[in-house]
């Protein structure tokens, strides 16, 4: 009898891990040197939303990024979210899956941290988010890769150490204008009778109910922050190395944009100086200058010629 | 020497300019040479093009190549190949501009310069042929954004970056398969990821309100789906009211936000109040101004009436015959009526003001000015008093009345 029980129990035990296979993720979050306070706050915000993350000290180098692989291994992390600041203004994010997963490099723009946004939404520290992806993520191969990476990095695994029960926030990833827009909302549920309470927060009309359960609560979202926009630049095959398997053609580096602006400004001056020079030469050729240029031809009918 | 001088004089007389003619000739020659060269290079270009096609087909899928190439204006061979690639259009533009410049320029020493230029161009073109062999395939996939920047007036400064589209789909899918979670074996609560059914359409990304609304709707639908799935799996979803734990935003931070909201509301209220007050004040001012104007008008009218009355009285004294002047009842009534409510002029006060000063300076009143110096009347006869003295009749006349 005992043997029967044992076999039964072992069978169930064996079945358990297969049906509930664990999704184990740990993320190493760190930045390079030269981040501004805003970049730092963004990093903090993200770290506070991700209980499965490990924050590390700033990385000294910006060129030898393969060091991050070792660092991740050291901290038992299988994901790396590395923020690289350049020129004290541009922020790039490297999203990678060491030891041999792909690496995606993003350019981050329109960064607004929780601190400065003053949204009234709030959520438990360490609760697990729902990740909401745009359908456009399924359309292209590189976006599918990005979606998978985000799912693993921003999605909090059930088994993370500091995780709290309940689901009270949602992270939205939407593709618009070739960029990925990220938003974080609190899920606030209220009785369907008194849905006027939270309306002033987002000012959107309350959604109509679909009869799903018996005591269905109305769902409303209140934004928490932070907000940012990511532009994918490059995907590398391995972690911080390897061949480039995707490159965004439409991405224009902020340096290029700035230099174009400067040049546009400079060209105005150049054109004007050129015109001035040309004008001077022309005048010289016509013999109108007192110094240099060509001498004016003598008028054969002038007094000095006629009465020489 | 003399002969040459004579000839030149003759030319001058006829109005010929030998030098200019020479230039024209040279220019013509240069242009002819250019065209011939262009035709030749055009043929070459075609053959080169064929070679390139071969090269391109030989190239594999995921080649990493970044081409950085200046769009040289003088692409002679491009002119012949009528392709839709916009860089060439730009090149053509340049071409025309240059030729226009050449024709417009009646500068004197320009022809010699151009001569040397055209010689140099031969070399240039040869170089470019080499360049083209590498750079031609990139010519076809210049992004639209770059074209726009090229089309602007300062093309000369722009060095277009042309990236090759690298999109190695097989490698990407391989990478995806390597890292993807076994979703079929996992329960939904393990990954909690929802992909929307249809892509989010945003017409204008700059339109903040609609954009955010689209994001909100996407997340909201995801939340609804997820909640259904999670409740089906029996995962706790909503937080009970009595569950307290550390939040992402600390109480301090939330307090700050609340304070900010309160401040904002208070500010709005205060602003509204202030505006109301201001409007009231403005209105009150208008009323006051109207009142003052009315008063001034009244005053003017009464003064006028008084003056007319005075004049009439004087006239009456002189003539003293007309009946209605004697009994000017209507006028008297008109003057007396408004003077009732107004203050009576205080004669004592007026006298004192005149004596001790009120309104305006009293200094230098007796000093000479331009008018008084030109006055030829002798001293001792003040001009002011004369008129007034004449007015008063003599004693006998006064007593006679």
């Amino acid at each position: 009898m005992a043997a029967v029980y044992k076999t039964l129990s072992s069978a169930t035990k064996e079945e358990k891990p297969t049906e509930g296979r664990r999704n184990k993720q740990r993320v190493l979050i760190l930045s390079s040197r030269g981040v501004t306070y805003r970049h730092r706050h963004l990093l903090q915000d993200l770290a506070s939303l991700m209980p499965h993350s490990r924050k590390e000290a700033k990385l000294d180098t910006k060129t030898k990024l393969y060091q991050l692989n070792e660092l991740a291994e050291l901290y038992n992390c299988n994901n790396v979210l590395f923020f690289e600041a350049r020129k004290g203004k541009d922020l790039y994010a490297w999203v990678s899956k060491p030891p041999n997963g792909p690496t995606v490099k993003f350019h981050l723009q329109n960064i607004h941290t929780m601190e400065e946004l003053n949204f009234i939404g709030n959520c438990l520290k360490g609760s697990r988010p729902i990740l909401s992806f745009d359908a456009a993520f399924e359309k292209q191969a590189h976006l599918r890769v990005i979606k998978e990476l985000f799912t693993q990095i921003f999605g909090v695994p059930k088994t993370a150490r500091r995780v709290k029960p309940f689901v009270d926030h949602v992270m939205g990833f939407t593709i618009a204008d070739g960029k990925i827009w990220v938003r974080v909302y609190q899920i606030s549920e209220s009785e369907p009778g008194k849905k006027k309470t939270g309306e002033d927060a987002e000012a959107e009309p309350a959604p109509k109910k679909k009869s799903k359960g018996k005591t269905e609560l109305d769902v409303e979202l209140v934004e928490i922050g932070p907000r940012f926009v990511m532009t994918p630049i490059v995907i590398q095959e391995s972690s911080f190395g390897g061949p480039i398997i995707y490159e965004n053609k439409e991405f224009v580096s902020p340096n290029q944009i700035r230099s174009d602006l400067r040049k546009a400004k400079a060209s105005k001056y150049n054109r004007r100086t050129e015109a001035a020079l040309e004008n001077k030469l022309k005048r010289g050729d016509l013999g109108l200058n007192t110094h240099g240029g060509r001498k004016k031809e003598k008028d054969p009918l002038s007094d000095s010629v006629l009465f020489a | 020497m003399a002969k040459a001088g004579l000839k030149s004089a003759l030319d001058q007389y006829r109005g010929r300019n030998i030098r200019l003619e020479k230039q024209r000739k040279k220019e013509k020659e240069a242009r002819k040479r250019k065209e011939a060269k262009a035709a030749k290079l055009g043929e070459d270009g075609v053959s080169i093009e064929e070679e390139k096609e071969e090269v391109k087909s030989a190239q594999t899928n995921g080649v990493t190549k970044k081409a950085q190439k200046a769009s040289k204006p003088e692409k002679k061979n491009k002119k012949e190949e009528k392709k839709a690639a916009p860089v060439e259009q730009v090149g053509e533009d340049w071409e025309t501009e240059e030729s226009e410049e050449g024709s417009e320029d009646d500068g004197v020493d320009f022809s010699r310069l151009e001569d040397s230029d055209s010689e140099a161009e031969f070399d240039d073109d040869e170089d470019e042929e080499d360049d083209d062999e590498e750079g031609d395939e990139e010519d076809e996939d210049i992004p639209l954004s770059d074209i726009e920047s090229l089309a602007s007036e300062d093309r000369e400064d722009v060095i277009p970056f042309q990236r090759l589209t690298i999109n190695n789909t097989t490698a990407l899918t391989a990478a995806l398969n390597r890292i993807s979670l076994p979703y079929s074996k996992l329960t939904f609560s393990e990954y909690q990821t929802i992909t929307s059914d249809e892509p989010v359409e945003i017409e204008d990304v700059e339109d903040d309100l609609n954009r955010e609304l689209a994001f909100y709707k996407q997340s909201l639908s995801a939340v609804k789906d997820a909640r259904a799935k999670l409740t089906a799996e029996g995962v706790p979803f909503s937080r009970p009211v009595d569950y307290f734990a550390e939040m992402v935003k600390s109480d301090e931070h939330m307090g700050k936000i609340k304070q900010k909201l309160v401040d904002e509301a208070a500010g709005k209220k205060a602003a509204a109040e202030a505006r109301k007050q201001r409007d009231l004040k403005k209105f009150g001012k208008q009323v006051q101004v109207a009142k003052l104007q009315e008063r001034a008008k009244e005053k003017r009218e009464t003064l006028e009436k008084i003056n007319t009355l005075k004049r009439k009285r004087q006239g009456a004294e002189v003539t003293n015959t007309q009946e209605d002047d004697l009994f000017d009842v209507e006028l008297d009534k008109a003057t007396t009526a408004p003077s009732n409510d107004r203050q009576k002029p205080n004669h004592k006060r007026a006298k004192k003001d005149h004596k001790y000063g009120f309104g305006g300076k009293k200094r230098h009143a007796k000093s000479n000015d331009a008018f008084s110096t030109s006055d030829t009347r002798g001293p001792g006869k003040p001009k002011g008093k004369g008129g007034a003295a004449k007015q008063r009749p003599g004693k006998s006349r006064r007593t006679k009345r």
Side-chain angles (χ1 to χ4, degrees):
Chain A
M1 206 56 199
V4 170
Y5 175 73
K6 213 169 191 182
T7 49
L8 270 176
S9 61
S10 70
T12 50
K13 242 182 199 171
E14 247 173 61
E15 206 177 75
K16 249 240 153 105
T18 47
E19 65 130 37
R21 261 173 68 167
R22 291 302 174 207
N23 169 24
K24 276 191 177 174
Q25 306 293 339
R26 246 171 89 80
V27 185
L28 184 71
I29 299 185
L30 74 170
S31 74
S32 72
R33 290 199 177 279
V35 286
T36 64
Y37 78 96
R38 182 172 282 174
H39 302 158
R40 199 176 60 246
H41 284 200
L42 177 72
L43 195 144
Q44 272 173 2
D45 290 351
L46 288 177
S48 72
L49 286 171
M50 293 153 67
H52 60 303
S53 66
R54 155 105 208 181
K55 231 161 87 180
E56 244 301 297
K58 288 171 185 165
L59 192 73
D60 254 331
T61 175
K62 285 182 189 174
T63 48
K64 297 173 203 152
L65 292 183
Y66 53 82
Q67 290 177 357
L68 284 166
N69 293 333
E70 293 163 31
L71 212 59
E73 202 188 345
L74 204 67
Y75 290 114
N76 278 331
C77 293
N78 55 356
N79 298 288
V80 173
L81 182 56
F82 174 64
F83 291 96
E84 182 186 345
R86 291 209 190 137
K87 299 191 168 185
K89 45 187 153 190
D90 303 324
L91 188 66
Y92 296 87
W94 295 78
V95 174
S96 169
K97 214 158 161 52
N100 41 23
T103 310
V104 188
K105 187 188 179 190
F106 294 97
H107 177 226
L108 262 64
Q109 284 167 301
N110 294 8
I111 298 167
H112 302 284
T113 61
M114 278 183 200
E115 187 75 37
E116 62 190 15
L117 275 174
N118 286 316
F119 287 134
I120 56 168
N122 202 351
C123 66
L124 285 174
K125 193 169 190 169
S127 65
R128 304 179 57 212
I130 293 168
L131 301 178
S132 156
F133 285 95
D134 188 359
F137 273 100
E138 290 294 338
K139 295 270 153 56
Q140 285 164 294
H142 71 277
L143 291 174
R144 250 177 280 148
V145 171
I146 290 168
K147 184 194 161 197
E148 187 59 40
L149 278 171
F150 282 176
T151 315
Q152 300 188 13
I153 286 178
F154 292 110
V156 178
K158 233 177 186 175
T159 50
R161 258 193 337 135
R162 284 169 288 175
V163 82
K164 291 206 183 80
F166 313 120
V167 180
D168 63 352
H169 68 285
V170 53
M171 257 182 125
F173 299 91
T174 314
I175 293 176
D177 201 20
K179 299 176 177 72
I180 301 167
W181 303 65
V182 185
R183 297 285 182 272
V184 183
Y185 300 98
Q186 180 197 348
I187 303 167
S188 76
E189 289 174 307
S190 57
E191 298 289 338
K194 42 170 186 176
K195 60 183 176 185
K196 291 283 180 287
T197 49
E199 275 231 337
D200 51 336
E202 272 290 321
E204 309 308 344
K208 270 168 266 157
K209 272 212 322 143
K210 284 175 201 161
S211 55
K212 268 186 239 159
K214 53 256 175 254
T215 54
E216 191 74 6
L217 295 168
D218 265 350
V219 183
E220 267 172 11
L221 303 182
V222 184
E223 190 154 3
I224 302 171
R227 284 178 169 187
F228 52 95
V229 179
M230 307 172 100
T231 316
I233 306 169
V234 146
I235 300 181
Q236 281 180 310
E237 193 163 28
S238 67
S239 180
F240 296 107
I244 292 169
I245 51 178
Y246 170 79
E247 185 163 17
N248 188 357
K249 191 174 62 169
E250 286 166 17
F251 173 72
V252 186
S253 99
N255 293 330
Q256 179 76 31
I257 289 168
R258 280 191 292 262
S259 84
D260 280 356
L261 280 176
R262 268 200 308 274
K263 270 176 191 158
K265 265 184 196 164
S267 72
K268 208 173 164 189
Y269 170 76
N270 287 344
R271 232 178 298 141
R272 228 182 291 154
T273 43
E274 254 170 47
L277 194 71
E278 223 166 73
N279 194 20
K280 203 177 173 189
L281 280 175
K282 211 181 255 177
R283 283 179 70 82
D285 285 342
L286 292 173
L288 294 170
N289 282 3
T290 44
H291 300 292
R294 208 161 55 103
K295 278 272 159 8
K296 209 174 188 174
E297 278 178 44
K298 265 189 181 168
D299 188 0
L301 296 177
S302 71
D303 290 354
S304 56
V305 173
L306 287 178
F307 306 108
Chain B
M1 201 61 212
K3 207 177 178 183
L6 273 174
K7 204 179 175 188
S8 69
L10 188 71
D11 284 338
Q12 244 165 19
Y13 174 66
R14 280 184 185 161
R16 265 175 74 182
N17 193 343
I18 301 252
R19 215 182 278 179
L20 206 71
E21 279 175 10
K22 263 186 192 167
Q23 277 167 31
R24 294 260 161 81
K25 221 182 208 172
K26 269 184 185 167
E27 269 177 29
K28 222 179 250 177
E29 273 173 23
R31 214 170 296 155
K32 251 183 208 168
R33 227 181 301 159
K34 256 192 209 171
E35 274 166 15
K37 183 181 62 194
K40 198 187 88 190
L41 276 172
E43 286 162 19
D44 286 359
V46 171
S47 59
I48 287 163
E49 196 58 19
E50 282 164 12
E51 281 172 27
K52 266 168 237 152
E53 287 293 321
E54 283 168 21
V55 170
K56 205 195 286 178
S57 60
Q59 248 153 5
T60 48
N61 192 5
V63 188
T64 34
K65 197 167 23 169
K66 202 186 277 181
Q68 175 187 357
K69 206 158 71 78
S71 69
K72 283 272 169 116
E74 319 87 19
K75 279 187 184 167
K76 293 291 170 321
N77 50 353
K78 285 284 139 50
K79 205 171 176 184
E80 259 61 43
E81 306 157 12
K82 295 211 168 152
K83 286 200 297 177
V87 160
E88 276 125 44
Q89 283 180 2
V90 170
E92 277 181 15
D93 280 354
W94 270 95
E95 196 63 33
T96 50
E97 270 177 30
E98 212 180 44
S99 55
E100 271 167 26
E101 260 178 58
S103 60
E104 277 168 19
D105 235 318
D106 45 357
V108 184
D109 292 329
F110 209 80
S111 63
R112 241 169 285 148
L113 270 171
E114 200 177 77
D115 229 71
S116 63
D117 248 4
S118 60
E119 273 164 26
E121 270 171 36
F122 272 116
D123 301 348
D124 269 358
D125 282 350
E126 270 154 27
D127 286 352
E128 262 167 39
E129 274 178 27
D130 300 351
D131 279 351
D132 280 357
E133 269 174 288
E134 304 147 13
D136 203 42
E137 46 196 49
E138 277 87 31
D139 280 354
E140 271 147 23
D141 42 29
I142 301 155
L144 207 73
S145 53
D146 284 13
I147 295 158
E148 278 167 15
S149 70
L150 273 175
S152 65
E153 70 266 47
D154 34 53
R155 306 168 266 221
E156 49 192 332
D157 296 335
V158 175
I159 300 164
F161 270 95
Q162 291 148 34
R163 283 203 180 80
L164 201 67
T165 333
I166 300 172
N167 200 350
N168 194 342
T169 317
T170 48
L172 284 169
T173 42
L176 177 65
N177 291 334
R178 203 167 61 233
I179 60 163
S180 71
L181 298 171
Y183 288 109
S184 55
K185 289 177 192 165
L186 291 173
T187 54
F188 175 74
S189 62
E190 286 289 339
Y191 54 91
Q192 295 189 349
T193 303
I194 295 270
T195 309
S196 66
D197 297 330
E198 55 233 36
V200 176
E201 301 280 345
I202 298 169
E203 301 94 54
D204 185 16
V205 207
E206 304 297 320
D207 183 3
D208 286 3
L209 202 68
N210 283 330
R211 188 191 62 214
E212 294 301 323
L213 181 61
F215 295 162
Y216 179 86
K217 276 181 179 159
Q218 182 206 319
S219 291
L220 192 69
S221 67
V223 165
K224 279 179 178 165
D225 288 0
R227 188 170 64 166
K229 282 185 180 175
L230 287 174
T231 43
E233 282 181 21
V235 176
F237 186 81
S238 46
R239 179 163 63 103
V241 193
D242 55 350
Y243 184 91
F244 292 109
E246 194 188 353
M247 306 291 274
V248 164
K249 292 178 186 173
S250 60
D251 286 348
E252 194 187 338
H253 187 185
M254 289 308 279
K256 227 189 270 174
I257 292 169
K258 257 177 209 141
Q259 190 58 47
K260 186 138 195 167
L261 284 177
V262 166
D263 284 355
E264 227 166 63
K268 256 183 204 167
K269 207 176 167 189
E273 192 76 14
R275 183 174 298 121
K276 206 173 159 190
Q277 206 69 30
R278 223 177 299 135
D279 287 351
L280 219 65
K281 202 175 167 187
K282 210 183 269 172
F283 188 67
K285 214 173 196 175
Q286 276 176 352
V287 167
Q288 205 175 355
V289 164
K291 214 184 241 175
L292 281 174
Q293 277 175 348
E294 203 180 318
R295 221 176 262 175
K297 198 179 162 194
E298 221 167 64
K299 194 179 175 183
R300 215 184 311 126
E301 275 173 3
T302 49
L303 281 175
E304 256 170 37
K305 271 174 189 167
I306 289 166
N307 282 341
T308 48
L309 205 60
K310 269 185 185 168
R311 243 176 281 143
K312 281 198 172 172
R313 282 263 162 89
Q314 279 176 13
E317 259 183 18
V318 176
T319 54
N320 212 4
T321 48
Q322 283 157 353
E323 285 281 301
D324 40 330
D325 279 343
L326 269 171
F327 311 101
D328 205 348
V329 184
E330 200 189 315
L331 261 174
D332 273 329
K333 202 169 71 188
T335 47
T336 48
S339 66
N340 277 343
D341 60 319
R342 301 287 302 141
Q343 249 183 357
K344 280 173 194 163
N346 192 350
H347 293 293
K348 195 175 172 189
R349 182 72 253 161
K351 193 79 185 166
K352 274 189 173 171
D353 283 348
H354 181 70
K355 189 174 179 185
Y356 301 114
F358 183 81
K361 63 175 183 183
K362 299 290 183 288
R363 292 164 306 217
H364 313 303
K366 290 186 174 178
S367 61
N368 275 338
D369 56 0
F371 182 74
S372 70
T373 38
S374 63
D375 196 358
T376 47
R377 290 187 297 177
K381 250 195 179 177
K383 53 185 173 170
K385 294 271 172 82
K390 222 181 266 173
Q391 288 280 313
R392 194 173 161 85
K395 176 97 171 173
S396 57
R397 261 172 85 187
R398 270 186 284 143
T399 47
K400 199 167 71 184
R401 267 212 291 196

